[in-house]
Amino acid sequence: MSLIPSFTLGKPALLFELSIGKNKLSFDPLIRFALDGKPWSFVFWWRYKVLTEGKFRLHVGAHPAINFRTIPVSINNETRDIQQVCRYLATEVAPSIMISKNFSLGMYYLYSRGLEEDATKTTHFVTVNGSISQIKITKDVFLKVAPPQLFYLMLDNEDGFFSNATLTLTKQNCPFSVSSVLNKSITANISSSKSFVWNISLLYSFNQKYLRRG
């Protein structure tokens, strides 16, 4: 699923996220495929951490992205499904305040521009959010909760308000975790949105540090 309805795949998928960086700049690609091997979307984020010290934090980012969708076409009086590619350019701004070691509040704004004639031309995504981490369930099992966040979404001439929450269950020294995203429409006139959507994900995390020599 995607918080932007037109990007939702609606079936099981495989996601690969990677972060490569030095100092404050990072390259964070997100590659997503359906389980049948068809590409879903490729997002190539570049992010810069403007402020990282103190209670106030700020990062900005930008990316080119490719979204794939299957559409029916008629070829020699025969209907076939083909993959259509839609290209997007986007930028983001994300300020936040650290209230305590495990609790933060923030805002997030994303603007996206579609490059194809039949794609969504302008997307505005604004959210007020929070995060609570390291809630101890047992000695080595923890729950991370992104409290219900409110966000406003505008896709060209359609818009709406939504609420969203993310739960992640982790075990100390274990690379696997389980996460679930729940999204509820408050009021919206976006034709591609649904009243309530949710997912569940199995995550595998790895951490490798590479040193430059010479």
Side-chain angles (χ1 to χ4, degrees):
M1 62 171 285
S2 170
L3 296 185
I4 298 177
S6 57
F7 289 173
T8 293
L9 182 65
K11 56 184 178 180
L14 179 65
L15 286 67
F16 178 76
E17 296 183 63
L18 181 67
S19 182
I20 305 172
K22 182 179 180 181
N23 298 328
K24 294 186 176 184
L25 181 65
S26 67
F27 174 55
D28 306 326
L30 171 58
I31 308 299
R32 303 188 286 188
F33 286 89
L35 292 188
D36 60 5
K38 292 182 180 180
W40 172 13
S41 65
F42 301 158
V43 184
F44 303 103
W45 276 111
W46 287 92
R47 290 188 168 103
Y48 184 76
K49 297 179 178 64
V50 181
L51 297 173
T52 59
E53 303 294 335
K55 288 190 174 183
F56 184 74
R57 311 290 173 89
L58 174 67
H59 87 247
V60 296
H63 74 65
I66 300 173
N67 188 58
F68 300 86
R69 60 186 180 187
T70 301
I71 60 172
V73 297
S74 180
I75 302 176
N76 297 326
N77 296 322
E78 181 181 351
T79 300
R80 299 181 184 179
D81 289 336
I82 66 169
Q83 288 283 97
Q84 183 186 43
V85 174
C86 295
R87 298 166 297 162
Y88 296 87
L89 296 175
T91 185
E92 67 177 5
V93 179
S96 64
I97 298 177
M98 299 298 298
I99 305 300
S100 67
K101 179 181 178 181
N102 295 323
F103 179 61
S104 66
L105 291 174
M107 295 184 65
Y108 179 84
Y109 172 69
L110 178 142
Y111 171 79
S112 174
R113 180 74 178 176
L115 303 182
E116 317 303 333
E117 287 299 324
D118 58 345
T120 301
K121 287 299 182 182
T122 58
T123 297
H124 297 276
F125 180 85
V126 184
T127 179
V128 178
N129 55 63
S131 178
I132 302 174
S133 59
Q134 298 298 90
I135 301 175
K136 183 179 287 189
I137 305 299
T138 66
K139 181 179 178 180
D140 55 359
V141 176
F142 299 88
L143 179 66
K144 179 178 180 180
V145 181
Q149 64 177 3
L150 300 176
F151 68 88
Y152 171 75
L153 176 65
M154 173 180 281
L155 304 174
D156 290 337
N157 296 321
E158 300 179 334
D159 65 350
F161 289 90
F162 302 81
S163 63
N164 169 269
T166 302
L167 310 175
T168 305
L169 194 65
T170 63
K171 187 176 187 298
Q172 191 173 3
N173 299 322
C174 178
F176 291 97
S177 59
V178 178
S179 180
S180 180
V181 179
L182 303 95
N183 192 69
K184 180 72 174 66
S185 170
I186 299 174
T187 175
N189 65 350
I190 299 175
S191 56
S192 57
S193 68
K194 295 183 178 180
S195 176
F196 177 74
V197 292
W198 67 279
N199 74 353
I200 188 165
S201 303
L202 176 64
L203 311 177
Y204 176 80
S205 302
F206 63 92
N207 181 24
Q208 294 290 337
K209 294 183 178 180
Y210 299 92
L211 300 179
R212 181 179 178 182
R213 298 183 180 277

